[in-house]
């Protein structure tokens, strides 16, 4: 998983919970989201992360629940979850490098 | 009388050129392998003499209205102009068979590699004609399998890789051409290969490779222009200004139309770092970490800044807070929570350093960055040593590969080695030279002694010698110098 994906997949963001929530709140939020995804509610299919909106599915929710059930792993996720989520993508500037796509044809090396 | 001297020169020179053409024709008819090596000076001189005297006589006879002799002088000129005909007619029309056959009779441009030159021309024509499956198979069937690989045949293999859509292999083969003995390098080949290499890199957006490719002694106008565009896109300090770009554009007529939008292209400004002065250490480190992940091209400075922020946070109240919170949550591994968080941060920074090929010597020594440097460096070491060991085992088991695959293996090991050196610097070069040197030296010797691949062995020896000199390994320098002298 890339660093960006790791930050975006923070279980607290996936479950839309604050880092100091109780285990009971974790279970309740997870089951609620799974039910919403099961009936295909649009509101459940996207969530906000510190790097902008991301798609959410049942697998991601189940993995988030597993992560937060383990106190050792939850501890580290709590640190990252203090970064506030945002709907606006922070990656607009990170477009891939431009390519001179037809350069080989322009130079007469290839068929256009 | 005025015509007598040039006519005599033409006649004598033409005899020498015709003798060569006769020999080439015999080779073609009897299916013999053409020669490789620096052409006889009498042939080069005769080709020049035919060109100059026939052009001169043609003009003089045409001026005096003697059209028949003028026409004959023009025919004589065609004997030395096989390559221009191939270049401007055969390749443009995609006639790979004609390009191959005509280039075999070229006495000038491809004279030092008469095996590879025709293949290169055919592969170029095949590519230009749309790289049909039939064309690819035709050219591929003519690549040397039981004869020594030559620089232009490696260039042809690069064009075949391009025809398959494998630009990375094409770039690797084109780079390998540089290492072949200059005495058998056709004059045109390095210039063409460098242009193609730079173009391949720019076409896939690898602007750093396009900018850093050595342009050689006589780069084409297009090479210079594309490299200048690359430097501007990368924001390099030596990037050309607008006036210089306009001059370079004039000297690249093939790109007059398509280069226009690229002339003004510049690197986007880096996203500004968040102002974290007023923040506590943890929010400051998190804000900077988020900025780093969103950064399109983070360098050593950005990594340094983020790592320092995390060092401040972990050495401050965050470490104690983590231990207290771990106890509260009932974590089993509460004692090493700060170190596990640091390892997470190091994973992120190492991945960014690896992806952006951030030079490790440019990173300052700190608790967080020290781990990043060690991790990236170890990965390079392990990868290079594994590749070298695999090659060593294959050579010990005497499992030989076709010559082109032996070249591929050398290039694969070399690519890992050079990636490591590019990122790890001179200290990593010194560490990995010997593990790579031993098996590659054995490969070079085996290619020369057992496989009759003298030119490929020579290229590999040249590379080993250059690296031995770079690390100051005197025994290796001595041995490779001796091998080069013996093989030359």
């Amino acid at each position: 998983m890339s660093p960006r994906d790791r930050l975006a997949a923070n279980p607290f963001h996936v479950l839309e919970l604050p880092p100091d929530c109780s285990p009971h709140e974790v279970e309740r939020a997870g089951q609620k989201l799974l039910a919403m995804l099961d009936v295909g509610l649009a509101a459940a299919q996207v969530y906000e992360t510190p790097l902008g909106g991301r798609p959410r599915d049942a697998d991601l929710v189940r993995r988030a629940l597993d992560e937060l059930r383990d106190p050792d792993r939850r501890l580290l996720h709590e640190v990252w979850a203090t970064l506030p989520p945002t709907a606006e993508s922070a990656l607009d500037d990170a477009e891939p490098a431009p390519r001179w796509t037809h350069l080989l044809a322009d130079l007469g090396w290839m068929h256009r | 009388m005025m015509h007598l001297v040039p006519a005599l020169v033409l006649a004598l020179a033409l005899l020498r050129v015709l003798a060569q053409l006769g020999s080439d024709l015999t080779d073609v008819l009897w299916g013999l392998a053409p020669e490789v090596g620096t052409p006889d000076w009498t042939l080069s001189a005769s080709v020049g003499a035919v060109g100059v005297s026939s052009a001169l006589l043609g003009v003089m006879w045409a001026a005096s209205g003697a059209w028949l002799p003028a026409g004959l002088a023009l025919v004589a000129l065609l004997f030395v102009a096989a390559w221009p005909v191939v270049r401007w007619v055969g390749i443009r029309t995609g006639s790979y068979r004609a390009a191959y056959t005509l280039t075999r009779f070229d006495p000038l441009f491809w004279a030092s590699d008469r095996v590879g030159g025709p293949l290169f021309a055919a592969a170029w024509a095949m590519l230009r004609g749309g790289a049909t499956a039939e064309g690819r198979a035709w050219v591929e069937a003519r690549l040397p399998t039981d004869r020594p690989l030559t620089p232009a045949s490696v260039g042809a293999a690069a064009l075949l890789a391009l025809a398959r859509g494998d630009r990375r292999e094409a770039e690797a083969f084109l780079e390998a051409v540089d290492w072949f003995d200059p005495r058998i390098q056709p004059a045109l080949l390095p210039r063409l290969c460098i242009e193609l290499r730079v173009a391949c890199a720019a076409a896939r957006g690898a602007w750093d490779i396009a900018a850093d490719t050595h342009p050689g002694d006589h780069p084409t106008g297009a090479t210079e222009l594309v490299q200048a565009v690359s430097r501007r896109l990368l924001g390099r300090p030596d990037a050309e200004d607008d006036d210089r770009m306009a001059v370079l554009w004039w000297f690249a007529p093939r790109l007059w139309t398509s280069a226009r939008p690229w002339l003004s292209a510049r690197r986007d400004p880096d996203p500004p770092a968040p102002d974290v002065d007023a923040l506590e250490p943890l929010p400051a480190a998190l804000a900077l970490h988020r900025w780093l992940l969103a950064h399109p091209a983070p360098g050593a400075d950005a990594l340094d800044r983020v790592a320092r922020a995390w060092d401040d946070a972990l050495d401050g109240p965050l470490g104690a807070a983590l231990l207290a919170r771990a106890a509260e949550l009932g974590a089993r591994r509460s004692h090493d929570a700060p170190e596990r968080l640091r390892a997470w941060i190091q994973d992120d920074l190492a991945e960014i350093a690896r992806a952006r090929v951030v030079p490790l010597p440019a990173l300052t020594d700190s608790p967080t960055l020290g781990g990043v440097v060690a991790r990236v460096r170890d990965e390079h070491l392990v990868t290079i040593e594994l590749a070298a060991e695999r090659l060593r085992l294959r050579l010990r088991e005497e499992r030989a590969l076709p010559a082109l695959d032996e070249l591929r293996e050398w290039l694969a090991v070399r690519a890992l080695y050079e990636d490591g050196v590019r990122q790890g610097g001179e200290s990593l070069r010194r560490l990995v030279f010997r593990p790579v040197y031993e098996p590659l030296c054995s490969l070079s010797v085996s290619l020369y002694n057992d496989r009759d691949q003298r030119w490929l062995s020579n290229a590999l020896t040249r590379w080993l010698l250059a690296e031995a000199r770079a690390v100051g390994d005197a025994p290796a320098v001595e041995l490779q110098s001796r091998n080069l002298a013996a093989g030359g």
Side-chain angles (χ1 to χ4, degrees), chain B residues 46-89:
Chain B
S46 301
V47 167
V50 169
V52 173
S53 56
S54 57
L56 190 67
L57 281 168
V59 171
M60 286 161 73
W61 275 322
S64 59
W67 295 106
L68 185 65
L72 288 174
L74 189 67
V75 171
L77 190 61
L78 284 178
F79 279 114
V80 295
W83 173 246
V85 172
V86 171
R87 173 73 184 82
W88 298 109
V89 182

Side-chain angles (χ1 to χ4, degrees), chain B residues 77 117 145 251 258 295 321 326 371 413:
Chain B
L77 190 61
T145 47
F251 284 98
S258 67
H295 200 301
V413 173

Side-chain angles (χ1 to χ4, degrees), chain A residues 2-4 6-7 50 71-72 74-75 77-80 82 90-91 98-100 103-104 106-109 111, chain B residues 124 127-128 195-196 202-203 205 207 222 254 258 262 286 290 293-294 310 325 331-333 337 340 344 348 351:
Chain A
S2 76
R4 283 177 185 172
R6 200 157 35 203
L7 181 63
D72 282 309
R74 171 177 171 145
L75 178 66
H77 290 308
E78 282 185 4
V79 175
W80 296 104
T82 53
L91 304 177
R99 298 167 181 210
W100 196 331
L103 181 56
L104 290 166
D106 295 339
L107 288 171
W109 284 101
H111 179 67
Chain B
W124 190 353
L127 199 56
R128 184 76 190 257
E195 176 184 292
L196 189 52
W207 299 104
R254 283 175 291 163
S258 67
W262 293 95
L286 284 167
R290 176 184 180 276
L293 296 190
W310 278 115
R325 178 65 178 151
R332 289 184 303 276
R333 298 172 54 196
R340 283 191 293 124
W344 180 319
D348 281 6
E351 185 151 337

